[in-house]
Amino acid sequence: MLALRLTRAARLAVHLRRLLVAVASAGTGFLLLCALGHALSHPGTPGASALRLAWCAAPLAASVQLAVAVARTDPGTRPRSGLSAIGLGPARLLAVSATTTALSGALGSVAALLVFLHLRGDLAGGPSLAGVATDALAAGQALPAPAVLTLLSLVPVTASAAVACTLRPRDPRPAASTAARGYGRFGAYGWGKARETFGAYGRFGARWTGERAPLTAAPDQAGTGSPPAAEGTVLTRTDTPGPATSVSGGPLPATAAGLPTAVAGPGAVVSGPGAASSGLPMGASGFATGGSGPASAGGPGGQSPDGPAPRAQNTTVLPWGVTALAVGLAVEAYTGEAGATPSAGVLIGWALTAVGLALAGPGLTQLCGRLLQAARPGALRLLAGRVLMEESQRVGRPLGVVAAVAAAGYVATTVYDSDGPAFGPLSTLGALLVAGCTLATLLTAAVEAKHARAGATDALLRLGAPPATLRAAAAVRAAALLALFGPLTLVVAVLAALPLSR
């Protein structure tokens, strides 16, 4: 009942995204029912029917990916502070999100069943398709109810399970360190976090960082008499003290975004009461104030209590992605035959290729962000690169899947369409469904990334960044991703089509 109330009270954009999930579920369910109809019409060729059913795994995976992306952007099931007191904790909200996804998938499955029965002529007023789609619809034959229910429940059950696994509550506390105890300075027994060079302890000014400032700060050098620093402010040692600068290049106002007036230089670290309301992402606060360290976003570990948990910046899976991509291309080259129907080996090869590109996508996106910040970057390139590095885990995987689908479409149109079997209506429906779901997933991930950095955008606007700069940074990010993933898609497509064109 709570899921139905949240669904009815949602905004139009949320309803449109859920409608996309229902449409994807309907298309996938219709393809599964057509595979069942082919098996009923051709009982003597179970291999061909099994191959048709196996190829339905591609739209099924695309539909589940879209459902997970839509569930992540659902504002009604997002954890908020204070909801646990009325019984809406993370586990309850997770159950509501999985139930909402299951309802959308079930709606699409029911629509697919109605369309399938209507085309078969089982419903009153259904068209007569004898001789046109008899193989796929099994017109005139009874449908086994257990098989129909099993196939139609695949999308809702799989999508809700994937949502539950993806959005499950995680422990925000850091994992316990397993490193061995070490000796600190001058033999002090404790946890040695970093090795220091000789004489680092006695260097002048080395102990200034991390000490608490007094409750009253002295006036600045210009004699303007700035107000005292906020309680809890941490001042660090700087080499070139001076006024802080904003994104547009002008001086940073002392009271902008609730920052205390004790920010005195490029290396100042703000940890007072007003620092938590800035909402800047990783590196954006230091960029706005002239520093280079990450900023706290208002909660433990830089997480806002009202927003989703930030993803860990893990790029160690990039070699595994490249390996899976190479294995997928090799399997597709060995099992594919020009002029023949794509076999199960081709499906496995393209699945490994998609998994490899999805694993390599976050690392490539973060690499793109690092390249944008290379060679003395300005404010525009620095902001675009930092945002790309921050959103690499969220946007990189859908980009990798879109690249794999685009490469598969290139191979299908250049190799199989020229001398292979003609694409029927069901093959066209499956291709459109996979392409549409992957593009919708990418757009949904972009919307999620925009909502996640809304606080940082507002903080930059309050600090004096012009809106044209933010739009230009978005254009730079899109151009950089296109310049990286475009040639990569073309290279993968050419390598996949090369063995089939001989």
Side-chain angles (χ1 to χ4, degrees):
M1 185 61 67
L2 179 60
L4 291 176
R5 290 182 178 180
L6 291 176
T7 301
R8 188 179 63 178
R11 294 178 296 179
L12 180 60
V14 179
H15 284 305
L16 289 178
R17 290 195 289 266
R18 291 172 180 170
L19 182 61
L20 287 178
V21 175
V23 170
S25 176
T28 306
F30 183 78
L31 291 176
L32 291 172
L33 291 178
C34 289
L36 175 62
H38 185 274
L40 294 175
S41 302
H42 301 80
T45 57
S49 301
L51 182 59
R52 283 174 175 260
L53 185 61
W55 274 101
C56 293
L60 176 62
S63 303
V64 171
Q65 185 192 20
L66 176 61
V68 172
V70 170
R72 288 185 61 88
T73 57
D74 193 352
T77 57
R78 186 174 302 169
R80 297 180 180 88
S81 58
L83 291 181
S84 298
I86 60 175
L88 294 179
R92 181 73 180 276
L93 291 178
L94 174 63
V96 170
S97 181
T99 304
T100 305
T101 304
L103 288 176
S104 301
L107 178 62
S109 298
V110 170
L113 178 60
L114 293 177
V115 172
F116 186 77
L117 294 178
H118 179 72
L119 295 178
R120 278 170 48 92
D122 294 342
L123 300 180
S128 178
L129 299 178
V132 179
T134 308
D135 296 342
L137 299 177
Q141 299 185 19
L143 294 176
V148 172
L149 293 178
T150 302
L151 293 177
L152 290 180
S153 62
L154 279 179
V155 179
V157 172
T158 309
S160 59
V163 168
C165 292
T166 304
L167 303 182
R168 67 186 184 276
R170 293 178 175 85
D171 191 1
R173 295 174 299 178
S177 178
T178 57
R181 281 179 173 265
Y183 291 91
R185 299 186 181 92
F186 295 100
Y189 188 73
W191 296 96
K193 294 185 178 180
R195 298 186 60 182
E196 296 182 351
T197 57
F198 177 77
Y201 181 82
R203 188 178 296 118
F204 177 75
R207 300 287 293 173
W208 289 3
T209 302
E211 296 180 354
R212 288 192 173 273
L215 297 179
T216 58
D220 54 358
Q221 298 178 1
T224 56
S226 59
E231 182 179 359
T233 302
V234 179
L235 299 180
T236 59
R237 176 176 175 269
T238 59
D239 295 333
T240 57
T245 57
S246 63
V247 179
S248 58
L252 174 65
T255 59
L259 298 177
T261 56
V263 179
V269 177
V270 181
S271 62
S277 61
S278 60
L280 295 176
M282 178 195 68
S285 176
F287 163 68
T289 59
S292 58
S296 174
Q303 176 185 356
S304 175
D306 295 337
R311 300 187 180 184
Q313 303 296 329
N314 184 14
T315 58
T316 57
V317 296
L318 180 59
W320 295 103
V322 175
T323 303
L325 175 61
V327 172
L329 291 176
V331 171
E332 193 265 338
Y334 276 107
T335 58
E337 297 180 3
T341 304
S343 60
V346 176
L347 175 61
I348 296 175
W350 278 114
L352 290 175
T353 302
V355 170
L357 288 175
L359 292 177
L364 294 177
T365 304
Q366 192 169 28
L367 175 62
C368 187
R370 289 184 180 274
L371 292 178
L372 279 178
Q373 303 175 70
R376 301 179 62 87
L380 184 63
R381 287 198 293 127
L382 184 60
L383 181 60
R386 289 292 177 91
V387 172
L388 275 183
M389 292 179 61
E390 181 73 15
E391 305 297 337
S392 60
Q393 297 292 330
R394 184 177 286 111
V395 183
R397 291 177 182 176
L399 270 175
V401 176
V402 168
V405 172
Y410 175 83
V411 174
T413 54
T414 56
V415 176
Y416 290 106
D417 194 21
S418 59
D419 53 356
F423 285 95
L426 297 180
S427 301
T428 305
L429 175 61
L432 292 178
L433 185 62
V434 172
C437 287
T438 51
L439 288 177
T441 303
L442 179 59
L443 294 178
T444 306
V447 171
E448 179 191 0
K450 181 181 178 181
H451 291 169
R453 63 174 183 270
T457 303
D458 295 340
L460 289 175
L461 291 175
R462 290 195 303 267
L463 291 175
T469 302
L470 301 181
R471 291 192 294 267
V476 169
R477 293 195 302 269
L481 291 176
L482 183 62
L484 179 63
F485 281 90
L488 175 64
T489 304
L490 186 60
V491 168
V492 172
V494 170
L495 290 178
L498 186 60
L500 303 177
S501 58
R502 292 180 300 179

